[in-house]
Amino acid sequence: LVSKDIIKIADFGLAREVNSSPPFTEYVSTRWYRAPEVLLQSYVYTSKVDMWAMGAIMAELLSLRPIFPGASEADEIYKICSVIGTPTEETWLEGLNLANTINYQFPQLPGVPLSSLMPSASEDAINLIERLCSWDPSSRPTAAEVLQHPFFQSCFYVPPSLRPKPSVARTPPPVGPRGSFEHQSVKRYPVSLANAKPFNSYVSPKSNAAFGSGVQ
């Protein structure tokens, strides 16, 4: 909800307090953005389910189509496997145990490179989505860690005090000798969103190295 310079976040119908204790509800978020651990009916999960949803939404914004458009819970897992590949004991042992508990067998699919689904996306964007849409929740970054990713290092924020104030009446710029408007210089005041250096662990998408420590 946007009103002038005020932005409010609404619709907390499925929201839960961060410090609340399990067991949690098994229905969380719209199916296409639901994390694998919730699809496998886990009653114990963390805020990392939101990071999975962020990765799915980010991929949809870059490709202009849903990345995991499952028609049911089983089809949703199939769609995920077809993109990022079937989980293994190395990538998500806990997920295999969850599947065994409900007598579910993952489809055996190799997955595809995300760059083939989003050819216009940058290397940093692909890397971030791969991190967010990891089978293992512990491999997904937190929101604070995401802000330190190279994808966001080129973003700038201009404080309200430095933004140009609109005038009530504007005088047309002078006309140049050739009859065209001469360009007026505009001062810019870029302020870096984050001063921290990017983590080297983002360089290789296949690396299992943990995200940098000491994030505030």
Side-chain angles (χ1 to χ4, degrees), residues 166-208:
S167 58
V168 177
R170 295 184 178 180
T171 302
V175 178
R178 297 184 179 180
S180 60
F181 290 110
E182 294 179 352
H183 295 286
Q184 295 180 338
S185 61
V186 179
K187 293 184 178 180
R188 299 181 183 274
Y189 304 87
V191 179
S192 178
L193 179 64
N195 296 323
K197 296 181 179 180
F199 293 115
N200 292 330
S201 60
Y202 290 105
V203 175
S204 175
K206 297 183 179 179
S207 173
N208 290 326

mmCIF file of all heavy atoms in Angstrom, residues 166-208:
data_model
loop_
_atom_site.group_PDB
_atom_site.id
_atom_site.type_symbol
_atom_site.label_atom_id
_atom_site.label_comp_id
_atom_site.label_asym_id
_atom_site.label_seq_id
_atom_site.Cartn_x
_atom_site.Cartn_y
_atom_site.Cartn_z
ATOM 1 N N PRO A 166 10.297 19.073 -6.385
ATOM 2 C CA PRO A 166 9.572 19.560 -7.575
ATOM 3 C C PRO A 166 9.086 20.987 -7.376
ATOM 4 O O PRO A 166 8.603 21.347 -6.297
ATOM 5 C CB PRO A 166 8.402 18.577 -7.704
ATOM 6 C CG PRO A 166 8.208 18.047 -6.313
ATOM 7 C CD PRO A 166 9.581 18.007 -5.681
ATOM 8 N N SER A 167 9.215 21.797 -8.383
ATOM 9 C CA SER A 167 8.753 23.187 -8.321
ATOM 10 C C SER A 167 7.337 23.292 -8.870
ATOM 11 O O SER A 167 6.905 22.478 -9.683
ATOM 12 C CB SER A 167 9.701 24.083 -9.121
ATOM 13 O OG SER A 167 9.774 23.636 -10.458
ATOM 14 N N VAL A 168 6.633 24.320 -8.446
ATOM 15 C CA VAL A 168 5.245 24.502 -8.870
ATOM 16 C C VAL A 168 5.180 24.856 -10.356
ATOM 17 O O VAL A 168 4.403 24.292 -11.117
ATOM 18 C CB VAL A 168 4.564 25.603 -8.033
ATOM 19 C CG1 VAL A 168 3.136 25.832 -8.528
ATOM 20 C CG2 VAL A 168 4.583 25.207 -6.565
ATOM 21 N N ALA A 169 6.007 25.788 -10.771
ATOM 22 C CA ALA A 169 6.033 26.195 -12.180
ATOM 23 C C ALA A 169 7.451 26.082 -12.692
ATOM 24 O O ALA A 169 8.393 26.531 -12.040
ATOM 25 C CB ALA A 169 5.530 27.627 -12.328
ATOM 26 N N ARG A 170 7.628 25.452 -13.822
ATOM 27 C CA ARG A 170 8.940 25.250 -14.389
ATOM 28 C C ARG A 170 9.113 26.122 -15.629
ATOM 29 O O ARG A 170 8.229 26.191 -16.484
ATOM 30 C CB ARG A 170 9.164 23.782 -14.754
ATOM 31 C CG ARG A 170 9.163 22.864 -13.529
ATOM 32 C CD ARG A 170 9.483 21.441 -13.929
ATOM 33 N NE ARG A 170 9.530 20.565 -12.771
ATOM 34 C CZ ARG A 170 9.801 19.261 -12.845
ATOM 35 N NH1 ARG A 170 10.020 18.696 -14.021
ATOM 36 N NH2 ARG A 170 9.833 18.528 -11.745
ATOM 37 N N THR A 171 10.270 26.756 -15.716
ATOM 38 C CA THR A 171 10.592 27.589 -16.878
ATOM 39 C C THR A 171 11.248 26.718 -17.930
ATOM 40 O O THR A 171 12.186 25.975 -17.621
ATOM 41 C CB THR A 171 11.559 28.720 -16.481
ATOM 42 O OG1 THR A 171 10.961 29.490 -15.440
ATOM 43 C CG2 THR A 171 11.873 29.610 -17.684
ATOM 44 N N PRO A 172 10.791 26.746 -19.186
ATOM 45 C CA PRO A 172 11.393 25.916 -20.234
ATOM 46 C C PRO A 172 12.876 26.235 -20.377
ATOM 47 O O PRO A 172 13.282 27.394 -20.231
ATOM 48 C CB PRO A 172 10.612 26.311 -21.498
ATOM 49 C CG PRO A 172 9.336 26.885 -20.986
ATOM 50 C CD PRO A 172 9.666 27.555 -19.685
ATOM 51 N N PRO A 173 13.713 25.227 -20.617
ATOM 52 C CA PRO A 173 15.141 25.458 -20.785
ATOM 53 C C PRO A 173 15.409 26.281 -22.029
ATOM 54 O O PRO A 173 14.590 26.319 -22.961
ATOM 55 C CB PRO A 173 15.717 24.040 -20.922
ATOM 56 C CG PRO A 173 14.574 23.222 -21.423
ATOM 57 C CD PRO A 173 13.353 23.814 -20.785
ATOM 58 N N PRO A 174 16.544 26.998 -22.067
ATOM 59 C CA PRO A 174 16.848 27.836 -23.232
ATOM 60 C C PRO A 174 17.011 27.009 -24.491
ATOM 61 O O PRO A 174 17.448 25.868 -24.444
ATOM 62 C CB PRO A 174 18.167 28.510 -22.834
ATOM 63 C CG PRO A 174 18.760 27.587 -21.816
ATOM 64 C CD PRO A 174 17.603 27.025 -21.063
ATOM 65 N N VAL A 175 16.643 27.612 -25.621
ATOM 66 C CA VAL A 175 16.752 26.940 -26.907
ATOM 67 C C VAL A 175 18.140 27.160 -27.477
ATOM 68 O O VAL A 175 18.654 28.284 -27.482
ATOM 69 C CB VAL A 175 15.692 27.469 -27.887
ATOM 70 C CG1 VAL A 175 15.841 26.799 -29.245
ATOM 71 C CG2 VAL A 175 14.302 27.236 -27.322
ATOM 72 N N GLY A 176 18.763 26.102 -27.938
ATOM 73 C CA GLY A 176 20.122 26.183 -28.470
ATOM 74 C C GLY A 176 20.132 26.780 -29.866
ATOM 75 O O GLY A 176 19.089 27.055 -30.462
ATOM 76 N N PRO A 177 21.330 26.963 -30.397
ATOM 77 C CA PRO A 177 21.450 27.583 -31.734
ATOM 78 C C PRO A 177 20.814 26.772 -32.835
ATOM 79 O O PRO A 177 20.462 27.306 -33.878
ATOM 80 C CB PRO A 177 22.975 27.686 -31.916
ATOM 81 C CG PRO A 177 23.545 26.658 -30.995
ATOM 82 C CD PRO A 177 22.629 26.645 -29.825
ATOM 83 N N ARG A 178 20.647 25.476 -32.647
ATOM 84 C CA ARG A 178 20.069 24.632 -33.690
ATOM 85 C C ARG A 178 18.580 24.378 -33.454
ATOM 86 O O ARG A 178 17.974 23.534 -34.101
ATOM 87 C CB ARG A 178 20.811 23.302 -33.783
ATOM 88 C CG ARG A 178 22.276 23.454 -34.185
ATOM 89 C CD ARG A 178 22.928 22.106 -34.344
ATOM 90 N NE ARG A 178 24.322 22.233 -34.754
ATOM 91 C CZ ARG A 178 25.146 21.203 -34.972
ATOM 92 N NH1 ARG A 178 24.674 19.964 -34.837
ATOM 93 N NH2 ARG A 178 26.384 21.401 -35.314
ATOM 94 N N GLY A 179 18.013 25.102 -32.496
ATOM 95 C CA GLY A 179 16.584 24.967 -32.261
ATOM 96 C C GLY A 179 16.217 23.838 -31.316
ATOM 97 O O GLY A 179 15.057 23.574 -31.098
ATOM 98 N N SER A 180 17.197 23.139 -30.752
ATOM 99 C CA SER A 180 16.913 22.049 -29.824
ATOM 100 C C SER A 180 17.165 22.502 -28.409
ATOM 101 O O SER A 180 17.946 23.428 -28.165
ATOM 102 C CB SER A 180 17.793 20.839 -30.147
ATOM 103 O OG SER A 180 19.160 21.192 -30.027
ATOM 104 N N PHE A 181 16.517 21.857 -27.455
ATOM 105 C CA PHE A 181 16.713 22.202 -26.060
ATOM 106 C C PHE A 181 18.101 21.769 -25.605
ATOM 107 O O PHE A 181 18.533 20.645 -25.847
ATOM 108 C CB PHE A 181 15.644 21.523 -25.176
ATOM 109 C CG PHE A 181 14.274 22.096 -25.382
ATOM 110 C CD1 PHE A 181 13.290 21.360 -26.010
ATOM 111 C CD2 PHE A 181 13.971 23.381 -24.953
ATOM 112 C CE1 PHE A 181 12.026 21.883 -26.206
ATOM 113 C CE2 PHE A 181 12.695 23.906 -25.143
ATOM 114 C CZ PHE A 181 11.722 23.170 -25.775
ATOM 115 N N GLU A 182 18.789 22.654 -24.946
ATOM 116 C CA GLU A 182 20.096 22.309 -24.419
ATOM 117 C C GLU A 182 19.915 21.505 -23.135
ATOM 118 O O GLU A 182 19.010 21.762 -22.339
ATOM 119 C CB GLU A 182 20.901 23.579 -24.125
ATOM 120 C CG GLU A 182 21.236 24.366 -25.378
ATOM 121 C CD GLU A 182 22.013 25.625 -25.056
ATOM 122 O OE1 GLU A 182 22.144 25.936 -23.851
ATOM 123 O OE2 GLU A 182 22.482 26.271 -25.987
ATOM 124 N N HIS A 183 20.790 20.507 -22.957
ATOM 125 C CA HIS A 183 20.676 19.640 -21.790
ATOM 126 C C HIS A 183 21.094 20.381 -20.526
ATOM 127 O O HIS A 183 22.066 21.132 -20.531
ATOM 128 C CB HIS A 183 21.551 18.389 -21.962
ATOM 129 C CG HIS A 183 21.090 17.532 -23.091
ATOM 130 N ND1 HIS A 183 19.965 16.758 -23.019
ATOM 131 C CD2 HIS A 183 21.614 17.335 -24.336
ATOM 132 C CE1 HIS A 183 19.797 16.100 -24.157
ATOM 133 N NE2 HIS A 183 20.788 16.450 -24.978
ATOM 134 N N GLN A 184 20.345 20.181 -19.502
ATOM 135 C CA GLN A 184 20.694 20.737 -18.210
ATOM 136 C C GLN A 184 21.334 19.657 -17.364
ATOM 137 O O GLN A 184 20.865 18.521 -17.330
ATOM 138 C CB GLN A 184 19.446 21.274 -17.502
ATOM 139 C CG GLN A 184 18.820 22.460 -18.229
ATOM 140 C CD GLN A 184 17.592 22.950 -17.493
ATOM 141 O OE1 GLN A 184 16.996 22.203 -16.722
ATOM 142 N NE2 GLN A 184 17.220 24.196 -17.713
ATOM 143 N N SER A 185 22.392 20.021 -16.676
ATOM 144 C CA SER A 185 23.076 19.043 -15.829
ATOM 145 C C SER A 185 22.269 18.775 -14.579
ATOM 146 O O SER A 185 21.649 19.682 -14.030
ATOM 147 C CB SER A 185 24.476 19.564 -15.439
ATOM 148 O OG SER A 185 24.352 20.767 -14.710
ATOM 149 N N VAL A 186 22.258 17.515 -14.172
ATOM 150 C CA VAL A 186 21.531 17.105 -12.978
ATOM 151 C C VAL A 186 22.512 16.497 -11.999
ATOM 152 O O VAL A 186 23.248 15.577 -12.347
ATOM 153 C CB VAL A 186 20.425 16.077 -13.317
ATOM 154 C CG1 VAL A 186 19.699 15.660 -12.045
ATOM 155 C CG2 VAL A 186 19.463 16.681 -14.330
ATOM 156 N N LYS A 187 22.529 17.032 -10.825
ATOM 157 C CA LYS A 187 23.425 16.493 -9.805
ATOM 158 C C LYS A 187 22.835 15.218 -9.231
ATOM 159 O O LYS A 187 21.658 15.145 -8.928
ATOM 160 C CB LYS A 187 23.653 17.519 -8.688
ATOM 161 C CG LYS A 187 24.423 18.757 -9.154
ATOM 162 C CD LYS A 187 24.702 19.674 -7.974
ATOM 163 C CE LYS A 187 25.518 20.891 -8.428
ATOM 164 N NZ LYS A 187 25.798 21.792 -7.280
ATOM 165 N N ARG A 188 23.670 14.215 -9.051
ATOM 166 C CA ARG A 188 23.239 12.945 -8.453
ATOM 167 C C ARG A 188 24.017 12.719 -7.168
ATOM 168 O O ARG A 188 25.193 13.056 -7.070
ATOM 169 C CB ARG A 188 23.472 11.779 -9.424
ATOM 170 C CG ARG A 188 22.695 11.932 -10.734
ATOM 171 C CD ARG A 188 22.958 10.747 -11.633
ATOM 172 N NE ARG A 188 22.294 10.880 -12.918
ATOM 173 C CZ ARG A 188 21.042 10.519 -13.139
ATOM 174 N NH1 ARG A 188 20.349 9.973 -12.154
ATOM 175 N NH2 ARG A 188 20.495 10.678 -14.328
ATOM 176 N N TYR A 189 23.348 12.130 -6.211
ATOM 177 C CA TYR A 189 23.980 11.878 -4.923
ATOM 178 C C TYR A 189 23.827 10.409 -4.575
ATOM 179 O O TYR A 189 23.012 10.040 -3.739
ATOM 180 C CB TYR A 189 23.338 12.730 -3.826
ATOM 181 C CG TYR A 189 23.359 14.210 -4.132
ATOM 182 C CD1 TYR A 189 22.336 14.803 -4.866
ATOM 183 C CD2 TYR A 189 24.418 15.001 -3.695
ATOM 184 C CE1 TYR A 189 22.356 16.161 -5.153
ATOM 185 C CE2 TYR A 189 24.442 16.361 -3.973
ATOM 186 C CZ TYR A 189 23.412 16.935 -4.697
ATOM 187 O OH TYR A 189 23.435 18.264 -4.975
ATOM 188 N N PRO A 190 24.563 9.529 -5.220
ATOM 189 C CA PRO A 190 24.429 8.092 -4.920
ATOM 190 C C PRO A 190 25.000 7.767 -3.551
ATOM 191 O O PRO A 190 26.091 8.210 -3.195
ATOM 192 C CB PRO A 190 25.239 7.423 -6.038
ATOM 193 C CG PRO A 190 26.239 8.457 -6.418
ATOM 194 C CD PRO A 190 25.572 9.793 -6.240
ATOM 195 N N VAL A 191 24.247 7.031 -2.793
ATOM 196 C CA VAL A 191 24.716 6.574 -1.486
ATOM 197 C C VAL A 191 24.618 5.068 -1.483
ATOM 198 O O VAL A 191 23.560 4.507 -1.725
ATOM 199 C CB VAL A 191 23.856 7.169 -0.347
ATOM 200 C CG1 VAL A 191 24.352 6.672 0.994
ATOM 201 C CG2 VAL A 191 23.912 8.694 -0.405
ATOM 202 N N SER A 192 25.709 4.397 -1.221
ATOM 203 C CA SER A 192 25.734 2.935 -1.289
ATOM 204 C C SER A 192 24.764 2.334 -0.296
ATOM 205 O O SER A 192 24.675 2.769 0.849
ATOM 206 C CB SER A 192 27.149 2.417 -1.018
ATOM 207 O OG SER A 192 27.154 1.018 -1.040
ATOM 208 N N LEU A 193 24.017 1.307 -0.720
ATOM 209 C CA LEU A 193 23.057 0.641 0.150
ATOM 210 C C LEU A 193 23.747 -0.136 1.244
ATOM 211 O O LEU A 193 23.274 -0.234 2.359
ATOM 212 C CB LEU A 193 22.170 -0.310 -0.685
ATOM 213 C CG LEU A 193 21.118 -1.106 0.074
ATOM 214 C CD1 LEU A 193 20.102 -0.163 0.685
ATOM 215 C CD2 LEU A 193 20.431 -2.081 -0.857
ATOM 216 N N ALA A 194 24.864 -0.721 0.934
ATOM 217 C CA ALA A 194 25.603 -1.506 1.923
ATOM 218 C C ALA A 194 27.095 -1.267 1.709
ATOM 219 O O ALA A 194 27.582 -1.306 0.595
ATOM 220 C CB ALA A 194 25.279 -2.993 1.793
ATOM 221 N N ASN A 195 27.795 -1.012 2.789
ATOM 222 C CA ASN A 195 29.225 -0.739 2.701
ATOM 223 C C ASN A 195 30.076 -1.985 2.776
ATOM 224 O O ASN A 195 31.278 -1.946 2.523
ATOM 225 C CB ASN A 195 29.643 0.225 3.822
ATOM 226 C CG ASN A 195 28.973 1.587 3.676
ATOM 227 O OD1 ASN A 195 28.797 2.052 2.558
ATOM 228 N ND2 ASN A 195 28.594 2.204 4.788
ATOM 229 N N ALA A 196 29.450 -3.093 3.157
ATOM 230 C CA ALA A 196 30.231 -4.324 3.306
ATOM 231 C C ALA A 196 30.675 -4.836 1.957
ATOM 232 O O ALA A 196 30.004 -4.656 0.951
ATOM 233 C CB ALA A 196 29.393 -5.390 4.027
ATOM 234 N N LYS A 197 31.823 -5.508 1.935
ATOM 235 C CA LYS A 197 32.338 -6.086 0.704
ATOM 236 C C LYS A 197 31.573 -7.362 0.374
ATOM 237 O O LYS A 197 31.140 -8.081 1.255
ATOM 238 C CB LYS A 197 33.827 -6.399 0.855
ATOM 239 C CG LYS A 197 34.680 -5.154 1.066
ATOM 240 C CD LYS A 197 36.152 -5.539 1.192
ATOM 241 C CE LYS A 197 37.013 -4.297 1.384
ATOM 242 N NZ LYS A 197 38.439 -4.652 1.518
ATOM 243 N N PRO A 198 31.391 -7.681 -0.918
ATOM 244 C CA PRO A 198 30.678 -8.908 -1.307
ATOM 245 C C PRO A 198 31.421 -10.139 -0.823
ATOM 246 O O PRO A 198 32.648 -10.157 -0.727
ATOM 247 C CB PRO A 198 30.649 -8.833 -2.841
ATOM 248 C CG PRO A 198 30.894 -7.386 -3.148
ATOM 249 C CD PRO A 198 31.774 -6.870 -2.058
ATOM 250 N N PHE A 199 30.673 -11.182 -0.506
ATOM 251 C CA PHE A 199 31.273 -12.427 -0.066
ATOM 252 C C PHE A 199 31.803 -13.200 -1.256
ATOM 253 O O PHE A 199 31.169 -13.290 -2.286
ATOM 254 C CB PHE A 199 30.239 -13.300 0.670
ATOM 255 C CG PHE A 199 29.804 -12.709 1.974
ATOM 256 C CD1 PHE A 199 28.496 -12.297 2.144
ATOM 257 C CD2 PHE A 199 30.694 -12.534 3.014
ATOM 258 C CE1 PHE A 199 28.088 -11.755 3.336
ATOM 259 C CE2 PHE A 199 30.286 -11.985 4.209
ATOM 260 C CZ PHE A 199 28.983 -11.594 4.380
ATOM 261 N N ASN A 200 32.979 -13.784 -1.112
ATOM 262 C CA ASN A 200 33.557 -14.575 -2.193
ATOM 263 C C ASN A 200 32.816 -15.884 -2.401
ATOM 264 O O ASN A 200 32.950 -16.518 -3.429
ATOM 265 C CB ASN A 200 35.032 -14.871 -1.888
ATOM 266 C CG ASN A 200 35.877 -13.612 -1.933
ATOM 267 O OD1 ASN A 200 35.556 -12.690 -2.686
ATOM 268 N ND2 ASN A 200 36.928 -13.550 -1.148
ATOM 269 N N SER A 201 32.025 -16.298 -1.411
ATOM 270 C CA SER A 201 31.334 -17.579 -1.522
ATOM 271 C C SER A 201 30.249 -17.554 -2.588
ATOM 272 O O SER A 201 29.709 -18.577 -2.942
ATOM 273 C CB SER A 201 30.706 -17.956 -0.172
ATOM 274 O OG SER A 201 29.778 -16.965 0.224
ATOM 275 N N TYR A 202 29.932 -16.362 -3.126
ATOM 276 C CA TYR A 202 28.897 -16.289 -4.142
ATOM 277 C C TYR A 202 29.451 -16.550 -5.530
ATOM 278 O O TYR A 202 28.709 -16.671 -6.473
ATOM 279 C CB TYR A 202 28.254 -14.899 -4.140
ATOM 280 C CG TYR A 202 27.415 -14.620 -2.935
ATOM 281 C CD1 TYR A 202 27.872 -13.790 -1.923
ATOM 282 C CD2 TYR A 202 26.166 -15.201 -2.789
ATOM 283 C CE1 TYR A 202 27.105 -13.534 -0.806
ATOM 284 C CE2 TYR A 202 25.388 -14.950 -1.678
ATOM 285 C CZ TYR A 202 25.863 -14.115 -0.698
ATOM 286 O OH TYR A 202 25.094 -13.869 0.396
ATOM 287 N N VAL A 203 30.758 -16.630 -5.660
ATOM 288 C CA VAL A 203 31.345 -16.725 -6.986
ATOM 289 C C VAL A 203 30.981 -18.023 -7.666
ATOM 290 O O VAL A 203 30.606 -18.071 -8.812
ATOM 291 C CB VAL A 203 32.880 -16.593 -6.896
ATOM 292 C CG1 VAL A 203 33.504 -16.811 -8.266
ATOM 293 C CG2 VAL A 203 33.242 -15.219 -6.346
ATOM 294 N N SER A 204 31.044 -19.119 -6.941
ATOM 295 C CA SER A 204 30.759 -20.419 -7.533
ATOM 296 C C SER A 204 29.400 -20.916 -7.085
ATOM 297 O O SER A 204 29.188 -21.162 -5.909
ATOM 298 C CB SER A 204 31.835 -21.435 -7.121
ATOM 299 O OG SER A 204 31.502 -22.728 -7.585
ATOM 300 N N PRO A 205 28.431 -21.056 -8.007
ATOM 301 C CA PRO A 205 27.094 -21.527 -7.617
ATOM 302 C C PRO A 205 27.095 -22.907 -7.015
ATOM 303 O O PRO A 205 26.225 -23.265 -6.270
ATOM 304 C CB PRO A 205 26.313 -21.495 -8.949
ATOM 305 C CG PRO A 205 27.082 -20.572 -9.823
ATOM 306 C CD PRO A 205 28.521 -20.733 -9.413
ATOM 307 N N LYS A 206 28.122 -23.728 -7.358
ATOM 308 C CA LYS A 206 28.140 -25.087 -6.870
ATOM 309 C C LYS A 206 28.830 -25.210 -5.516
ATOM 310 O O LYS A 206 28.913 -26.294 -4.962
ATOM 311 C CB LYS A 206 28.856 -25.980 -7.900
ATOM 312 C CG LYS A 206 28.135 -26.049 -9.244
ATOM 313 C CD LYS A 206 28.840 -26.984 -10.194
ATOM 314 C CE LYS A 206 28.101 -27.069 -11.523
ATOM 315 N NZ LYS A 206 28.787 -27.967 -12.475
ATOM 316 N N SER A 207 29.370 -24.121 -5.033
ATOM 317 C CA SER A 207 30.078 -24.185 -3.757
ATOM 318 C C SER A 207 29.108 -24.377 -2.615
ATOM 319 O O SER A 207 28.039 -23.799 -2.579
ATOM 320 C CB SER A 207 30.880 -22.894 -3.558
ATOM 321 O OG SER A 207 31.440 -22.854 -2.272
ATOM 322 N N ASN A 208 29.493 -25.202 -1.643
ATOM 323 C CA ASN A 208 28.670 -25.450 -0.472
ATOM 324 C C ASN A 208 29.144 -24.615 0.716
ATOM 325 O O ASN A 208 28.725 -24.844 1.850
ATOM 326 C CB ASN A 208 28.697 -26.928 -0.088
ATOM 327 C CG ASN A 208 27.958 -27.772 -1.101
ATOM 328 O OD1 ASN A 208 26.963 -27.322 -1.666
ATOM 329 N ND2 ASN A 208 28.436 -28.977 -1.355
#
